[in-house]
Amino acid sequence: LVDVYNTKVRLMAGGVPEIQATILYGFLTKYQQLLNVPIAIISSLSMAILPAISAAVAIKDKEGVTGKINYAFRLCYLISVPCAVGLAVLSDPVFQMLKFGGGSYIMAYGSVVLVLMSCMQIQTTILQSIGKLYTATLYSVLGIVCKIIANYFLIAIPSVNILGAVGGSIIGFLIPIILNHRIIKKSLGVKLGLIIHAVKPIIASIIMVVSVLVVRYIFGTLLGFVKMGYLANSISTIIAIIAGMFMYLIGLTVTGGIRNED
């Protein structure tokens, strides 16, 4: 909603012609639509963990609360990290395959927002579970205010333009995430690692990226000889994504990022 109201205006304030500002805003909209796909999975996860954490809090099972919260963050990163990395690396071929036109560079720079959105969503669910819904809402509003301010200044910088909206989102999510983390630790009196759970998914995602780039290069080269254009890009991209999924699972297994009970 923030981007709807101030992106075009601030682009034009930075010297971008109205037609170009409309095009850039269209690029941003498509980037946001694509981010919403993995976010839907995280939303389902959030709804599933809320009653489990609430139940553990109700019976004062401190160990159970800690275990369930850590598990929620692990699953959050297991899904969001490879999605963000994959969308960043394959931003251009994915945009071509979906016929989104230009603007793939926004995804290349802004896919990290997906991880931040996911993390904040899990935190908000945890705070709701422990009766801190108003605190979570207050911090979210604070994040929105910071995003409005960041958008206002960043988008109007000619060398930044539309990427200022991405920068505003990063700032707008980071601030509530930090505040949420502090209040969760303080309320529950437990040690929670916010970053540690992302390490193994990141390592597995690096393995995934290497395989994706190799597979896409091989199939892109083979199909390129037959001048298939759009079809060649789509086939090689889909095959690369499938190969990447398998390599990510293998990477998780090797690093211990996924366990038997998972």
Side-chain angles (χ1 to χ4, degrees), residues 6 9-10 48 63 82 84 155 169 178 187 202 205 238 246 261:
N6 73 359
V9 173
R10 296 310 297 161
E63 188 176 330
I155 294 173
S169 294
I178 293 167
S187 299
I202 288 171
S205 294
I238 291 169
F246 282 106
E261 59 265 31

Side-chain angles (χ1 to χ4, degrees), residues 23-46:
I23 292 169
L24 288 172
Y25 176 68
F27 290 165
L28 182 68
T29 302
K30 287 171 182 176
Y31 151 78
Q32 291 168 338
Q33 286 174 346
L34 207 50
L35 280 192
N36 283 334
V37 178
I39 284 295
I41 302 171
I42 303 294
S43 298
S44 301
L45 171 63
S46 299

